[in-house]
Structure formats: structure tokens, C-alpha cells
Amino acid sequence: MAGSHFDETYTRLLSADLDRDGAAENPYRILICTTPRTAGHTYCQVMRHFGLGLPTEYFQWQFAVPLMRRWTGDDTFDVPALDRGASSYGKHLLMRRSVEGVFAAKLFFGNLDFARLSIGEDDASSFYVFLSRRNKVDQTVSLLSMLHTGQPFDGGETLPGVPMLRTISQKAVIDTVRHIADSEAKWRSYLSTIDVTRVAHVAYEDFVVNPHDNVKATMRNWFPARNLRNDALAANGRYSNDASVKSIIARQFGGLIRQLWRDMPVEAEQSRSAP
């Protein structure tokens, strides 16, 4: 994974270059369940490296609307039409974005209902990777920085529709902590209803040490007969594009963020590592 963290650009992920024809009608489904800033994008890159689907954020409108417009030829298709067109969208996804019998997608909890309308309810062919971050203080700082700069990744790539904070206020900090905490609590509650053998809990801190081996260990547990590529990927560091912004946020609001997380059911680690 040398070069930019966003090697697969937003434009390329939408393009016909990645479409597949004649894929399995009922592929395995791997959902990478995330809260913001837990290395979900990098997890998708490693999955693509292994040939385990072509995962990205298919259930965000930024991906669903342009893909449906291209796949159906209907340039009037818009966000309000997503739920009505979910079943059709799901059929296109499973047919065009599966690889060797696997469909994978990165998913925020707010998109779960749309995903279920699109690709169906949970079944024995569904698997879940839950990405979480032990150090909630660093996660909060990273999300605030991304919302301020509008750039989720290195390389200057932006995504349409990402809300931006012109200034970072105490209210914005409180809202960001609540969003992360609520999202994680909802994921944990939902995944507790799924067969534990089909759910992998992966900590960001463990994953980033060696993304290649971390993903391989999880996927070999589920698909022991699958031949996963042996060539390792280049190690990833943290995104450097907004390092200075993160430092400023940590200095100004670090105490407040730590206090807010101490009051949450999921307590943040008191790490002094850089955000």
C-alpha cells in the first residue's frame, strides 16, 4: 500500500472499471462495521488486496446515488429514491461488486437499515468485522480534525456531503463524543444478536500494527480453504495531512474530551500517544 492512503479514489470506486459481470447470485456478505476514524478505509484496501470483494461505503448516498444512476441509466435517481430502489440496488451490488463469491462493504450504523433493504437480512452466509478504537480521545480528535479540514485521507481527496466544522467549539466536541459513543453502543447491541462465530471484534490499535496479517487471520478463520495472497502490504502510518490541526485540537480540548469519555459507559484509554 505504498503511496497515498486513498489509492482507490472516490471516482475510481464509482467507475465501471471495478464492475464485474456474472458474479455469484448469492455471495458471502462481509460487512465491515465501523464508527468514524477506526481505519475502515484501510481495512477495505486490504480486503481488496486479498480478492475478498471490492469493499467501500456502498450504503452511503454518495456512493449509492451515482452508482444507481450509472447502472440504471436514470439520471433523475436521487437520495429520496434510495429506499424505494434498495432491492434493485442490492441486486446490482451483489452482481457487479462481488469477487469470487464474496461481497464486502464498509458500513456505519446509520446505514444499516438501507443495507438490509438492499442485500437482505442476516443469514449464515453473513460475516461481520467490528472495528473499534480503544483510545477514544485520539478517535475524537481525529474525527474533529477531519470535519474541520474536510479531508478524510492523505492526498487531498474529499468526499461530497461530508459536514464541515468552520470552528471547533465546546458544543462540537460534545456532539462528536456523543456520536462516537452512541454509534459504538448501537453496533455492540446489534452484533450481540448475531452468532458469535460470524463476528470478529478488531481493535484499531491492533490492526494498524500489521493490517495484512490482521485481516488474514480473521478471514482464514472464516474461509480456511481460500487461497489468500502472501505478498505483504507496505505498513501504514497515521494520516499526516492534518497532523497540525490534530495537535491544536488536542491542546485546546484534550481535557474536555477526556472528561467526557470518563463519563461514558465505554471509557477512553488515557494514552498520551499523538492523535
Side-chain angles (χ1 to χ4, degrees), residues 41 67-68 81 131 172-173 178 200 215 230 232 241 252 257 263:
H41 177 75
L67 284 173
M68 274 295 275
L131 289 174
V173 171
R178 285 177 176 167
V215 174
N230 290 321
N241 62 320
Q252 186 169 355
I257 295 169
D263 294 339

Side-chain angles (χ1 to χ4, degrees), residues 9 19 55 62 74 86 110 132 139 154 203 206-207 211 214 220 231 240:
T9 65
D19 287 355
Q62 293 95 329
D74 180 3
S132 62
Q139 182 179 2
D154 284 344
D206 298 333
F207 169 67
N214 187 285
R220 276 185 170 166
D231 50 318
S240 60

Side-chain angles (χ1 to χ4, degrees), residues 237 246 258 268:
K246 290 177 183 176
R258 283 188 286 273

Side-chain angles (χ1 to χ4, degrees), residues 168-170 173 246-257:
I168 299 175
S169 63
Q170 180 172 311
V173 171
K246 290 177 183 176
S247 296
I248 293 170
I249 295 170
R251 285 199 302 270
Q252 186 169 355
F253 294 105
L256 172 62
I257 295 169

Side-chain angles (χ1 to χ4, degrees), residues 57-73:
E57 299 175 25
Y58 290 114
F59 303 106
Q60 295 268 63
W61 69 262
Q62 293 95 329
F63 289 85
V65 168
L67 284 173
M68 274 295 275
R69 286 180 176 177
R70 182 166 63 76
W71 286 338
T72 65

